[in-house]
Amino acid sequence: MKPAALLQGTLDVLILKLLHQEPRTGWAISARLRQMSNEALQVSHGSLYPALHKLEHEGWIAGEWQATETGRQAKVYALTKAGRQQLKRETEQWSRLSNAVSAILESA
Amino acid sequence: MEPFVERGERDPGVSMRGALLRLRAILWRTRVESELEAELAEHLEREIEQLVRQGRTPAEARREAIATMGRLDEIKEGCREARGTTAWEHFQQDLSFGVRRLGRQRTFTAMALATMALGIGSATAGFSLIDGVLLRPLPFAAPEKLFAAEALGMRGPYATLRAQSRMVDYAAHLGVRAFNTPGREGLERQEGAEVSANFFRVLGVAPRLGRALVDGEDEPGRTRVAVLSDHFWRERFGGRSDAIGQKLQLDEQSFEIVGVMPAGFAYPAASVKVWVPMTLDPRNVGLYWGSGGVSVVGRLRDGVSLPAAVAEMRGWIPRIRSLFPWRMPDAWGTDADGVELREALVSGARVQAWLLFGVVALVLLIAVVNVANLLLGQTAARQAELTMRAALGATRGRLTRQLMTEGLLLATLGGALGAGAAAAQIAALKRLLPADTPRLAEVGLDLRAVCFSLAVAIMAGLLFGFAAARQKKRQRPATGHMLILSEAAFATILLVSAGLLLRSLWLLRQVDPGFAPSGVVIAEVSPSPALIASTAKAAALAGELRESLLAHPGVRHAAVMNVLPLSPEISAFTAAIEDHPRPPQAPQIPLWVTATTPEHLATLGVPLLQGRAFTMGDTAPSAPVVLISQAMARRFWPDRSPVGRRLRAVWQSEWRTIVGVVGDVKNYAMTGPPEWVEGEVYLPMTQAITPPPSLFVAARLAGDASAFSRRLPGLAREVCASCAVTRVLPLEAVVTSATRAPRSLAWLVTGFALLALAMAAIGIYGVVSQAITRRTRELGIRLALGASRGQMASLVLRDGLGATLLGIASGLGAAWLLARGIASLLYGVETHDFASFLAPGFVLLGVAVLASAGPLWRAWHIDPARALRE
């Protein structure tokens, strides 16, 4: 099966969710996304990095340059307080929407 | 952008953070870019490591990682967009593109920038004038609390009001007067003002050196003290601080210098060099209650409104009236009023200042229209470039932004040049405008003026960009017509204003002053006050001066008088006329008065129409006599000879007999006497009502006037060593300077109108010429299909001239409405003077025809074969 394209806007909430667990680099986020969705979700880097930078400008995540275990400098993103609230809001909205869509799909 | 995700409410801290990041991205662009580079490189390394761990060779791993990563440039562009700084980056690109374009098209750039600089420069100079004279608060502490208390007039009423008022702190000054003071080359005449002791405190201006006057220094018997202007202090004392405590001789009295005012302080006039206390001595009844000329300035105490203060002042009027040692008319003081000080100061210059501002604003509009037209021509010429950009993916918005940026760039450069041009124009304006224009010294190119020119430039730039963006799709002939129409309308308004002012100037110059100035030399001779303390002393001095002039070879006639013709200073008294009695409470008859010696008429060249002139026999003890003007004779005795009738000053009992009638002389101004004056009379100096403050000598010469002018000061000083001799001039110069103010205004407006006319001509030429370039093909087809060249010419002409005619018509309409506003500046011309309206229409039409001639010639010579092939 071809990897499904992400529904527009869902990438943001997935990033917030992953960063809610722990701070990660961009690469770690992309690897984790692939792994968690059993390679079903393919996030192109062309959309991941712009999304990260946008979230950073919104103030929901904060990037910081840190030394990694291999000793190289990498930009590590962490969820901010405003980001936690945003995650909560978006999660609620997501479940409302998916419930609504499921209800329609199952009744038909 | 997200279909279902609501944006979180922005908390200010969060958007602040975003703004900081954006600022960082703009200011440290390379750093942010290299961080992005590093972030993506690090990602790639990790990916490769992982693939190697999964068993790929390093080379395979690298290839695969790069393939999954996709195009790096695309990712980077996406990240840049996410920063929200692309608008800024595009702006930078557009800006540098615009700069390159302007650099390439030198002629266009030079023309557009010159026009903008001229337009914005003129408008900024006009704004500085308005701002400095009318808008800016006076340079005093809390100036909004200051007001002019009008119609008190004498020292006694002022001192009473000052002592009694609870709501207002009242200060006063007398009009500017000149003092004799020893200078480097003998006696000099310097202007000064007598002020109340609290004058500086009430205005709220501190001296730059020493002290100001202190309360009580206007009481009788105090030491004489003086406060100097900054200018006089530098000129006379070289700006040394030991000037304080030194003595200054003014009119042979010694004053101790106590302070120096700061440079900008110019009240009541810029010409004032020294302030001395006025004396408020109730025992000097005549001076205290009888002599006028006191101007009163009040400062409202905290929480007091101007109407309340005026009400308080009016409440005191009846009580003050009863304090006079003689009975004052019941009407005295009832018109007392308070006017905000700034209003009172500048009201005379208001119309002129607004007229000049309006004129330069129109010049600016024409300049803006011209540059817009140039830009539109440019936009049409770069159609190919714009189409190419659109094809390469530039959005409409992006193209509009590009054109906007280019327009703004042009306008901002023009504005910067304009600010420079404004500095030069302000200097020129200050030289051309009459020196007694109130607050002229405060006019200058300052931050406010620069902000004004910048604001104008930005508005013009947005307009340019907007016009260009609107037009980028296709050529709109209607735009060209609008440009011609508005230019023609603006230029018409300016030409009509100039026409009205020039016509009234011309009429003013036709006015017969009533005397023959040619060959007459005058001078002001100012004796120390002791020498003219009484009429007898003044008359004796005048007689001696006249004798010494007459003794000089070449002098045919000489006279000495208290006031020259065309004197801006008032010389009048209130009279009663024997056979024209007025009820005691009614206003009496104000008459202009010239006190003079024999030969006055012969010296100035005034005709004697009836009776006799003054002779040496008219002395103090002889029967009092008076000459009257022809206008006065007609007014009071229209059907009889006035000779033998009598009049007197209201406060004197002695009647003066009219012995002759003389021709009408413009004693006050070319436009006639002040309107409240009911007649003009001449008295022998020996019988003058009050001694003159200063004497004017006049001599009619047979030969060379310039040699005599050089001798005159010496002759006068031989008679009177303590006299300052100033203003040695041909009488013709007095006549010329009497029309100086209307002349400079008329020429200024005319200059701007001609500038506008030239710019309008260039604009019309540009539009018509562009239209023909655009229509060459169409015209070629018409020719090929059999249209005559005459028909084509009329087609082309109709295009430009139709819009011009409409513009002229609307300009005339606007001028018709606006002309009433300058009625007070006109003399002898109706505000709706037919010729002044008709002539500009024809001039402009002629200019439009001339401007269209070149393009017309091109249209006439279109070769249909070539036009079709191109």
Side-chain angles (χ1 to χ4, degrees):
Chain A
M1 198 180 89
K2 257 178 75 180
L6 268 180
L7 196 55
Q8 225 192 353
T10 47
L11 180 57
D12 289 358
V13 68
L14 294 179
I15 293 173
L16 292 178
K17 181 70 190 170
L18 289 177
L19 293 182
H20 187 53
Q21 294 162 356
E22 55 175 343
R24 293 166 204 268
T25 64
W27 178 80
I29 293 169
S30 100
R32 186 78 184 138
L33 272 175
R34 266 180 293 175
Q35 187 193 357
M36 281 174 68
S37 66
N38 298 323
E39 308 280 330
L41 284 180
Q42 178 72 52
V43 179
S44 87
H45 301 101
S47 45
L48 174 67
Y49 279 95
L52 280 171
H53 284 235
K54 194 192 76 199
L55 292 174
E56 187 182 13
H57 275 86
E58 296 281 6
W60 292 330
I61 64 177
E64 203 182 329
W65 287 86
Q66 288 175 3
T68 60
E69 60 276 20
T70 57
R72 284 200 307 264
Q73 287 284 317
K75 194 173 179 185
V76 178
Y77 294 95
L79 202 63
T80 64
K81 206 174 132 202
R84 264 198 293 286
Q85 287 163 7
Q86 179 66 9
L87 174 63
K88 205 170 138 225
R89 269 195 299 273
E90 293 202 15
T91 315
E92 282 163 12
Q93 267 165 353
W94 174 251
S95 34
R96 264 212 312 278
L97 181 84
S98 71
N99 286 344
V101 173
S102 310
I104 293 169
L105 289 178
E106 280 156 22
S107 71
Chain B
M1 139 184 169
E2 289 89 347
F4 62 89
V5 177
E6 265 175 46
R7 277 308 166 102
E9 280 149 49
R10 299 277 177 131
D11 90 58
V14 168
S15 38
M16 183 70 167
R17 210 184 133 77
L20 280 176
L21 283 169
R22 261 192 292 282
L23 193 64
R24 181 168 178 267
I26 286 170
L27 294 180
W28 289 280
R29 188 162 190 274
T30 25
R31 176 132 170 231
V32 170
E33 280 290 311
S34 69
E35 276 181 16
L36 176 60
E37 190 88 31
E39 189 177 11
L40 294 176
E42 208 272 335
H43 180 106
L44 200 62
E45 287 304 314
R46 289 275 194 115
E47 192 75 21
I48 293 167
E49 278 165 23
Q50 175 158 350
L51 289 169
V52 169
R53 272 202 298 278
Q54 287 170 359
R56 313 281 207 289
T57 67
E60 274 173 357
R62 176 161 295 270
R63 231 182 353 262
E64 198 178 326
I66 290 175
T68 22
M69 189 113 181
R71 282 176 53 190
L72 268 182
D73 285 345
E74 227 165 77
I75 302 175
K76 284 188 197 162
E77 193 57 35
C79 290
R80 283 180 204 127
E81 257 165 47
R83 279 180 217 150
T85 55
T86 35
W88 170 255
E89 280 151 21
H90 288 164
F91 172 70
Q92 280 185 317
Q93 287 165 11
D94 290 345
L95 199 63
S96 71
F97 184 74
V99 169
R100 284 202 304 275
R101 261 179 60 79
L102 289 184
R104 266 200 315 276
Q105 293 168 308
R106 298 246 167 79
T107 325
F108 162 77
T109 309
M111 273 196 65
L113 285 185
T115 312
M116 284 303 289
L118 214 55
I120 293 182
S122 309
T124 306
F127 170 79
S128 300
L129 187 70
I130 289 282
D131 190 43
V133 174
L134 300 182
L135 303 182
R136 222 180 326 203
L138 292 171
F140 306 142
E144 70 286 351
K145 287 183 176 274
L146 291 170
F147 68 98
E150 293 178 344
L152 281 173
M154 299 95 167
R155 288 170 170 81
Y158 158 66
T160 312
L161 189 66
R162 176 171 86 179
Q164 301 299 334
S165 173
R166 289 159 190 278
M167 296 185 173
V168 183
D169 208 353
Y170 282 107
H173 62 85
L174 294 172
V176 176
R177 60 167 277 203
F179 293 93
N180 283 354
T181 177
R184 285 194 197 87
E185 298 154 26
L187 277 183
E188 283 175 2
R189 212 61 187 146
Q190 296 287 3
E191 294 201 328
E194 293 180 61
V195 300
S196 63
N198 61 355
F199 179 75
F200 298 102
R201 178 171 59 74
V202 167
L203 293 179
V205 181
R208 60 163 303 171
L209 190 66
R211 65 168 176 89
L213 304 179
V214 291
D215 286 13
E217 279 188 308
D218 47 16
E219 287 160 11
R222 301 290 292 255
T223 331
R224 293 196 184 88
V225 293
V227 174
L228 307 186
S229 78
D230 179 80
H231 179 257
F232 189 51
W233 172 60
R234 286 174 194 284
E235 184 186 270
R236 181 64 67 84
F237 295 95
R240 289 189 314 273
S241 55
D242 64 5
I244 304 298
Q246 290 194 34
K247 299 287 185 209
L248 180 69
Q249 294 288 321
L250 297 173
D251 279 349
E252 298 194 325
Q253 288 182 327
S254 181
F255 289 75
E256 183 187 336
I257 298 168
V258 294
V260 177
M261 292 311 286
F265 187 77
Y267 190 72
S271 58
V272 171
K273 302 278 179 62
V274 54
W275 291 265
V276 297
M278 64 200 285
T279 33
L280 294 170
D281 184 0
R283 284 165 307 176
N284 188 343
V285 175
L287 191 67
Y288 199 68
W289 294 102
S291 159
V294 177
S295 304
V296 179
V297 176
R299 176 178 288 281
L300 300 172
R301 293 190 202 276
D302 287 341
V304 175
S305 72
L306 182 54
V310 171
E312 186 201 41
M313 174 167 69
R314 290 206 180 122
W316 275 98
I317 293 294
R319 275 176 278 181
I320 293 174
R321 195 189 298 127
S322 68
L323 291 176
F324 272 85
W326 50 81
R327 185 171 156 69
M328 292 296 281
D330 290 344
W332 180 84
T334 46
D335 56 349
D337 204 355
V339 180
E340 200 204 321
L341 187 59
R342 188 175 59 177
E343 284 299 307
L345 265 182
V346 303
S347 56
R350 181 172 301 275
V351 179
Q352 284 96 320
W354 279 115
L355 171 67
L356 278 176
F357 184 66
V359 162
V360 295
L362 285 177
V363 170
L364 171 71
L365 282 176
I366 294 180
V368 166
V369 168
N370 260 5
V371 176
N373 183 37
L374 277 174
L375 263 175
L376 290 187
Q378 287 287 303
T379 317
R382 55 199 279 218
Q383 211 62 46
E385 174 211 323
L386 293 176
T387 316
M388 169 85 83
R389 283 173 170 252
L392 288 177
T395 59
R396 263 186 83 108
R398 184 79 176 74
L399 283 181
T400 305
R401 274 203 300 277
Q402 184 196 335
L403 291 171
M404 284 283 190
T405 309
E406 290 182 20
L408 270 177
L409 172 67
L410 194 65
T412 314
L413 287 177
L417 288 176
Q425 295 203 33
I426 290 171
L429 266 183
K430 286 173 84 162
R431 239 189 351 266
L432 287 171
L433 287 171
D436 59 355
T437 308
R439 305 184 75 190
L440 196 59
E442 290 175 52
V443 173
L445 186 69
D446 56 7
L447 191 65
R448 282 162 70 112
V450 170
C451 286
F452 173 84
S453 62
L454 208 65
V456 168
I458 288 174
M459 278 194 291
L462 291 177
L463 189 82
F464 295 158
F466 181 71
R470 235 175 70 87
Q471 208 224 4
K472 69 174 184 283
K473 297 283 279 183
R474 62 191 174 85
Q475 281 282 337
R476 292 165 196 261
T479 317
H481 289 166
M482 276 309 295
L483 294 183
I484 293 188
L485 194 152
S486 52
E487 290 202 324
F490 299 149
T492 305
I493 298 175
L494 287 178
L495 287 173
V496 170
S497 325
L500 285 170
L501 291 173
L502 281 178
R503 232 172 104 77
S504 57
L505 181 64
W506 187 76
L507 287 172
L508 207 52
R509 287 190 157 178
Q510 305 306 306
V511 171
D512 175 11
F515 56 93
S518 174
V520 178
V521 172
I522 59 111
E524 181 172 1
V525 177
S526 312
S528 62
L531 284 178
I532 43 172
S534 69
T535 300
K537 284 183 173 174
L541 180 60
E544 284 173 46
L545 281 168
R546 179 167 169 266
E547 291 302 321
S548 82
L549 294 186
L550 279 174
H552 193 269
V555 174
R556 282 164 52 200
H557 304 288
V560 180
M561 56 212 78
N562 70 331
V563 60
L564 283 176
L566 291 172
S567 153
E569 274 163 42
I570 304 286
S571 167
F573 74 106
T574 311
I577 298 178
E578 195 175 27
D579 55 355
H580 287 79
R582 299 227 167 142
Q585 297 308 341
Q588 298 301 303
I589 302 166
L591 298 176
W592 186 277
V593 58
T594 305
T596 187
T597 58
E599 279 203 335
H600 178 92
L601 303 180
T603 308
L604 297 187
V606 180
L608 177 70
L609 304 174
Q610 274 184 56
R612 68 165 177 94
F614 297 145
T615 66
M616 296 303 283
D618 293 311
T619 58
S622 72
V625 291
V626 55
L627 292 172
I628 66 169
S629 71
Q630 189 178 20
M632 182 174 169
R634 288 206 182 116
R635 178 174 189 146
F636 289 95
W637 299 277
D639 42 15
R640 287 171 286 173
S641 168
V643 175
R645 311 277 157 192
R646 300 196 302 169
L647 56 84
R648 62 176 171 88
V650 279
W651 64 92
Q652 293 176 339
S653 54
E654 185 175 50
W655 289 98
R656 296 164 191 262
T657 308
I658 297 170
V659 293
V661 178
V662 303
D664 287 321
V665 171
K666 302 295 178 193
N667 279 316
Y668 173 64
M670 291 302 258
T671 50
E675 70 269 22
W676 46 266
V677 166
E678 293 191 36
E680 288 160 287
V681 303
Y682 299 81
L683 301 176
M685 188 69 91
T686 48
Q687 300 173 355
I689 297 170
T690 48
S694 193
L695 295 171
F696 292 89
V697 300
R700 179 169 291 276
L701 297 159
D704 179 24
S706 63
F708 178 73
S709 296
R710 283 192 297 277
R711 282 282 294 126
L712 200 156
L715 286 176
R717 274 198 216 99
E718 276 168 30
V719 175
C720 166
S722 71
C723 285
V725 183
T726 51
R727 293 172 64 193
V728 184
L729 296 169
L731 188 53
E732 279 159 326
V734 175
V735 178
T736 313
S737 72
T739 53
R740 181 160 183 260
R743 193 169 56 233
S744 58
L745 188 69
W747 287 120
L748 269 173
V749 173
T750 306
F752 280 119
L754 291 178
L755 181 66
L757 187 66
M759 288 206 282
I762 295 172
I764 292 170
Y765 168 81
V767 171
V768 175
S769 166
Q770 277 170 31
I772 289 184
T773 311
R774 202 173 58 232
R775 295 174 68 180
T776 304
R777 243 177 115 79
E778 175 209 329
L779 295 174
I781 294 172
R782 283 176 187 263
L783 269 180
L785 292 179
S788 77
R789 290 190 188 267
Q791 279 172 324
M792 279 196 10
S794 79
L795 197 69
V796 170
L797 262 185
R798 216 165 43 217
D799 222 33
L801 292 190
T804 308
L805 277 174
L806 261 177
I808 292 173
S810 32
L812 287 178
W816 189 271
L817 295 175
L818 293 171
R820 211 161 298 149
I822 59 166
S824 65
L825 301 178
L826 300 181
Y827 171 79
V829 185
E830 290 288 313
T831 49
H832 294 153
D833 177 54
F834 190 62
S836 303
F837 274 74
L838 203 61
F842 279 113
V843 168
L844 205 60
L845 196 62
V847 165
V849 170
L850 279 180
S852 312
L856 189 66
W857 191 84
R858 248 189 322 136
W860 188 271
H861 290 90
I862 284 177
D863 174 0
R866 267 198 26 216
L868 289 177
R869 237 181 291 122
E870 269 161 14

